[in-house]
Amino acid sequence: MIKQALIGLTAAALLAGCGGEDKAQAPAAKAADGTKTVGLVQLVEHPALDAASRGIQDAVKARGLKVTFDVQNAQADQSNLANIAQRFVSQEYPLIFAVATPAAQTMANAAKNTPIVATAVTDYEAAKLVINKDKPGTNVTGSSDLNPIGAQLDLIMQFVPNAKTIGTIYNSSEINSQFQVEILKKELVRYNVTLVEGTVSSVNDVQQVAQGLIGKIDALYVPTDNTAANNAELIGNTSLDTGTPIIAGEEGICKGCGVATLTISYYDIGYKTGEMAYDILVNGADPATMPIEYAPQFTPKYNPTMCEALGLTPPDGYEAIAE
C-alpha cells in the first residue's frame, strides 16, 4: 500500500509517499473555508531536495496564504512519478510544485493546463520545460540550481595545480548532469586538462564505476546529480582509498564526499519558488511570462573531515561544513 502524506503549513517536515492512493480519499482542491490544496512532488529524499521543499512551504506560510500541501515523494521511481501526476491532475489542484528535473518533466507532461512551479532544475531549456528561460512560454516556471562550474574547476586546480586528468561521475539519464558536464568540457580548455567520464544508470552502478574511474584521475568533479547525491559517502570512501580530491556541485554532496564546493542554498531557491507560486495564486501571474530565477550567490565551503584525511588545506575564506 503506497503511503500518502498530507501536510498543512504548520508541518515541521516532509512525509514520504509515492502517490497512487484511492482518489476518493484524496484532499479536495479547495476547502469550504477557502483553503486551497496544492500538490508538491519531490523526486527523492536527500538533503538538497529536502531543503528546497522546506523553503517552498516556508515561503507560502510566511505570506499567510491558506494552503494545504499534498506532499509526495516518488523515491526516484518513474512509475511513482506518473501515478502522482495523474492523481494531482484528477484532483484539479490550482498549482503543482515539482522538486528536481524528472519530477518537473513528468508533471509538465501530465498537467498541461496547471501552473507548475519547479526548483532544483539546472536548465529549463535543456529539460524542454520552457521555450526560453527569460520568457518560458509554457505553464512551467521556477528556480534553477545551476552551480558555477567554471569556478568549481578553478577550485580543483587550486587543490591539484598539476592535474592533467579530471573525472566526473553522473547518471547519464539526468539532463541536469549532462548539461553540467558539457559546460565542464568547455571550461577545461582553459587548463588543457583531459576529462574522463564515469556514467551510471542506477544506484547499483555507482560503486563499480567510482572504483574504475577514481584510480585513473587526478581529481573528480561531482555535479548536482541526484544519483551521486544519494551515494556521496560511497564515492567519498573510494576517493579516500586513492587519495583523490573531489570538488562537489553543492554542500550536501560535499559533506558526503568532497573536499570543497561553491554551493548554492537549496532552501533559498525553494523559498524563491514559493514566492513565485504566491504571485500566481494570489496576484494572477502567468508562468509563461515569469523568468527562471537563479541563486543570487554562492558560498565557499570545505569539508574538514575529507581535507584532513587527504592532507589538504582549504583556500582562505572557506567556511567549514558542519558535522
Side-chain angles (χ1 to χ4, degrees):
M1 181 68 178
I2 297 173
K3 183 179 179 182
Q4 294 301 320
L6 177 60
I7 300 181
L9 288 174
T10 57
L14 298 178
L15 297 179
C18 297
E21 74 167 34
D22 185 346
K23 294 175 184 177
Q25 298 176 359
K30 188 173 183 180
D33 66 354
T35 299
K36 298 176 181 179
T37 298
V38 298
L40 192 163
V41 58
Q42 181 176 319
L43 174 65
V44 67
E45 291 177 90
H46 63 66
L49 301 189
D50 293 347
S53 291
R54 287 196 304 272
I56 287 171
Q57 294 178 80
D58 286 352
V60 177
K61 178 180 178 180
R63 278 150 183 74
L65 185 61
K66 290 184 176 180
V67 169
T68 297
F69 291 91
D70 181 1
V71 179
Q72 300 294 319
N73 193 303
Q75 304 298 345
D77 186 285
Q78 187 60 44
S79 63
N80 288 339
L81 278 176
N83 289 336
I84 293 166
Q86 291 172 6
R87 180 175 173 279
F88 283 179
V89 170
S90 70
Q91 292 303 303
E92 299 182 353
Y93 290 153
L95 184 139
I96 295 171
F97 290 103
V99 183
T101 302
Q105 290 172 318
T106 302
M107 296 304 117
N109 287 334
K112 302 291 187 183
N113 299 313
T114 303
I116 296 168
V117 190
T119 190
V121 175
T122 301
D123 188 86
Y124 285 72
E125 291 182 33
K128 302 189 184 305
L129 292 167
V130 304
I131 297 171
N132 184 285
K133 66 180 185 297
D134 296 319
K135 189 174 182 180
T138 67
N139 62 320
V140 180
T141 189
S143 59
S144 167
D145 65 351
L146 180 63
N147 71 92
I149 296 167
Q152 306 279 33
L153 174 59
D154 295 338
L155 182 56
I156 289 176
M157 301 307 292
Q158 287 184 55
F159 278 106
V160 193
N162 297 318
K164 297 300 181 185
T165 304
I166 290 173
T168 186
I169 185 169
Y170 64 99
N171 189 325
S172 56
S173 66
E174 282 205 30
I175 296 295
N176 277 346
S177 305
Q178 295 175 23
F179 183 79
Q180 291 172 77
V181 171
E182 289 306 312
I183 295 175
L184 180 61
K185 289 177 180 178
K186 294 175 183 177
E187 294 288 345
L188 284 171
V189 175
R190 294 189 287 118
Y191 288 103
N192 192 29
V193 173
T194 301
L195 179 68
V196 179
E197 298 178 48
T199 59
V200 301
S201 57
S202 73
V203 297
N204 299 323
D205 302 333
V206 175
Q207 184 169 10
Q208 180 178 356
V209 172
Q211 289 174 341
L213 172 68
I214 290 178
K216 302 175 181 178
I217 58 178
D218 299 312
L220 180 71
Y221 168 69
V222 179
T224 54
D225 178 276
N226 289 299
T227 304
N230 268 340
N231 294 272
E233 291 187 5
L234 187 155
I235 297 170
N237 290 336
T238 304
S239 78
L240 289 174
D241 291 340
T242 59
T244 306
I246 295 174
I247 299 302
E250 56 91 15
E251 179 178 357
I253 298 174
C254 190
K255 186 174 182 178
C257 69
V259 294
T261 183
L262 295 166
T263 185
I264 67 167
S265 166
Y266 275 81
Y267 178 87
D268 287 350
I269 63 169
Y271 200 96
K272 171 56 69 175
T273 302
E275 292 179 328
M276 297 173 78
Y278 179 88
D279 283 342
I280 294 170
L281 291 170
V282 176
N283 300 326
D286 183 359
T289 63
M290 299 174 73
I292 302 304
E293 298 282 350
Y294 291 83
Q297 63 184 16
F298 306 97
T299 304
K301 293 196 174 186
Y302 75 97
N303 183 332
T305 302
M306 292 295 288
C307 284
E308 181 178 357
L310 295 174
L312 298 172
T313 302
D316 292 340
Y318 274 62
E319 173 187 340
I321 296 174
E323 293 294 334

